[in-house]
Amino acid sequence: MAREQRDRRDNKDREERDSEFLDKLVHINRVAKVVKGGRRFAFAALVVLGDQKGRVGFGHGKAREVPDAIRKATESAKRNMIRVPLREGRTLHHDVRGEHGAGKVILRAAPPGTGIIAGGPMRAVFETLGVQDIVAKSLGTSNPYNMVHATFNALKREDSPRSVAARRGKKVSEIVSRRRDGAEGQGATAGADV
């Protein structure tokens, strides 16, 4: 009796933990192995998982049935989650590039109201991450595995002003004001050239 209640409570806790995450199936690949008597099919799934608050992960799972492959990929994504610093909880702090194999991506911070301008697999990553405004471009391959890897490579390079200030031993206000001064200075010189 007590064991059943404990198991039920554990399942409920696990479901609550799982419900905090949003998962997106990015790609399913069917592969065939030719054996005596026909073909054996197996499936590979690529899943992106995030809490829409700055944590995101991706996983790859293979199985003989699609649901098992998706379950394995989701578990893998939970184990490989990263935290990404977001500006105002809606966009990136700075533009960043990422590469993986032949996949290259460029991620640019965007003003409010822009939305997610990104293609296919990259869009799934940003929706699960919780980004609302971003402009992204994929160069090179359109292979979803390489695009997701390249996007994560770029997101790992993302730095917040707080972490930069701590690394340099300065105040956050010095870093942010310098960024604003640099933008104003570039605008003034661009106007003088015209």
Side-chain angles (χ1 to χ4, degrees):
M1 180 81 178
R3 180 183 286 161
E4 288 176 10
Q5 286 178 339
R6 188 171 53 237
D7 288 346
R8 232 182 276 138
R9 196 175 331 118
D10 289 345
N11 285 341
K12 190 176 179 185
D13 290 344
R14 194 174 298 124
E15 285 175 15
E16 284 177 11
R17 243 183 299 135
D18 292 348
S19 67
E20 71 178 294
F21 294 119
L22 170 74
D23 61 336
K24 296 251 181 198
L25 179 64
V26 177
H27 185 70
I28 289 188
N29 191 27
R30 187 182 79 170
V31 293
K33 178 182 179 182
V34 179
V35 293
K36 185 173 128 186
R39 292 185 180 133
R40 268 211 190 126
F41 292 107
F43 299 91
L46 177 64
V47 171
V48 176
L49 181 92
D51 65 354
Q52 296 188 307
K53 296 174 190 158
R55 283 176 61 209
V56 69
F58 73 98
H60 178 232
K62 294 191 277 191
R64 296 287 301 277
E65 300 293 330
V66 174
D68 293 338
I70 293 171
R71 180 183 49 77
K72 286 180 181 181
T74 305
E75 288 170 4
S76 173
K78 282 180 189 165
R79 286 193 300 268
N80 299 321
M81 297 203 60
I82 62 168
R83 181 168 293 285
V84 179
L86 299 177
R87 187 194 323 162
E88 300 163 13
R90 60 164 193 83
T91 191
L92 302 177
H93 285 284
H94 55 85
D95 300 354
V96 67
R97 289 171 176 258
E99 286 185 18
H100 182 82
K104 297 174 187 64
V105 296
I106 300 169
L107 312 181
R108 304 195 68 193
T114 303
I116 299 174
I117 300 174
M122 291 165 54
R123 175 176 287 274
V125 173
F126 300 133
E127 285 173 355
T128 56
L129 179 60
V131 173
Q132 286 137 24
D133 303 303
I134 192 164
V135 177
K137 180 68 185 162
S138 168
L139 307 168
T141 187
S142 59
N143 178 330
Y145 289 91
N146 287 346
M147 282 176 70
V148 169
H149 266 285
T151 305
F152 271 79
N153 182 295
L155 291 173
K156 285 176 186 172
R157 295 179 183 179
E158 184 70 17
D159 260 342
S160 69
R162 182 178 292 155
S163 68
V164 172
R167 200 167 51 233
R168 294 183 189 173
K170 298 186 181 245
K171 294 180 183 166
V172 177
S173 58
E174 290 178 47
I175 305 285
V176 175
S177 66
R178 194 172 288 158
R179 181 170 64 185
R180 285 196 195 115
D181 293 344
E184 288 170 8
Q186 288 173 354
T189 57
D193 291 344
V194 175

